[in-house]
Amino acid sequence: MKKVSVIIPCFNATKYLPKCFMSLVQQTIGIDQIELIFVDDASTDEDATWNMLQEFERAYPESIMILKLEENMRQGGARNVALQYATGEYIAFVDADDTIEEFMLEKMYEKAETENADMVQCNLYDIYPDRTRKIQLKPLDKTVIVEDKGEYADKYFSTCYHSYEICNKLIRRSFLEENNLKFCDTKKYFSEDLMFNL
């Protein structure tokens, strides 16, 4: 079993995919410990996205799975499809226009194992065209045991210690499966990340 399955929904993403792909295959945890599941979400770019994903798969056939949807399901739906195929101990979600630091998955995996955590969150940056960065979350290095959802939302969610994004989380796969957690329909809800986190 791989340590981490990373799910990457893609729609007309050839502009961003090469950079995203390189940030994933250069992870310090080792490509042999990662399962990358790319989902072409019915791209309309004359198979450009699909062809690029096929190149990725040929480069790392033991670590990459590619799926092609016939109907556009948007990010939430595409992630739900990929979750059915994921076999890693933990799940991470990366969007096609994201890049991740080379040590991200290794550090988060180690933290999850050390703390026996169902979820680990790291900070994230907004990166602007002029390459300036803005850190999003208040720094916090803390293990939190959630016993009261309301108290947790009050202390961490509403005070910007827990972000609504999914791209900075590592979640135990068995936790998702046991609780039947899925993304809602992005066509109905503006922010499927927020709904999933709640």
Side-chain angles (χ1 to χ4, degrees), residues 115-130:
E115 301 292 337
N116 192 29
D118 291 316
M119 181 172 66
V120 175
Q121 170 185 272
C122 66
N123 219 318
L124 34 75
Y125 288 102
D126 290 325
I127 303 177
Y128 298 94
D130 65 359

Side-chain angles (χ1 to χ4, degrees), residues 48-149:
T49 294
W50 181 246
N51 292 336
M52 186 173 282
L53 295 180
Q54 287 180 307
E55 286 179 35
F56 296 167
E57 185 183 43
R58 281 192 290 274
Y60 296 93
E62 300 298 316
S63 296
I64 294 180
M65 175 187 295
I66 58 174
L67 306 171
K68 185 173 181 137
L69 304 182
E70 295 303 315
E71 175 191 348
N72 180 260
M73 300 179 73
R74 304 199 183 171
Q75 287 172 306
R79 290 179 187 135
N80 287 340
V81 170
L83 277 168
Q84 298 172 46
Y85 294 89
T87 62
E89 196 179 343
Y90 292 87
I91 306 286
F93 300 94
V94 173
D95 290 338
D97 61 349
D98 292 338
T99 57
I100 63 175
E101 299 284 350
E102 68 273 9
F103 49 79
M104 177 179 152
L105 295 179
E106 181 177 32
K107 285 194 170 188
M108 292 179 83
Y109 178 83
E110 288 173 354
K111 190 71 162 176
E113 289 290 283
T114 302
E115 301 292 337
N116 192 29
D118 291 316
M119 181 172 66
V120 175
Q121 170 185 272
C122 66
N123 219 318
L124 34 75
Y125 288 102
D126 290 325
I127 303 177
Y128 298 94
D130 65 359
R131 307 305 299 158
T132 57
R133 295 176 167 206
K134 179 183 175 190
I135 199 161
Q136 272 201 20
L137 300 174
K138 298 174 183 177
L140 180 72
D141 186 357
K142 183 176 182 179
T143 300
V144 177
I145 297 171
V146 179
E147 294 175 338
D148 182 294
K149 289 184 263 187

Side-chain angles (χ1 to χ4, degrees), residues 7-11 13 37-41 74-76 78-79 93-97:
I7 292 173
I8 312 102
C10 309
F11 178 77
I37 306 175
F38 290 91
V39 185
D40 183 342
D41 190 17
R74 304 199 183 171
Q75 287 172 306
R79 290 179 187 135
F93 300 94
V94 173
D95 290 338
D97 61 349

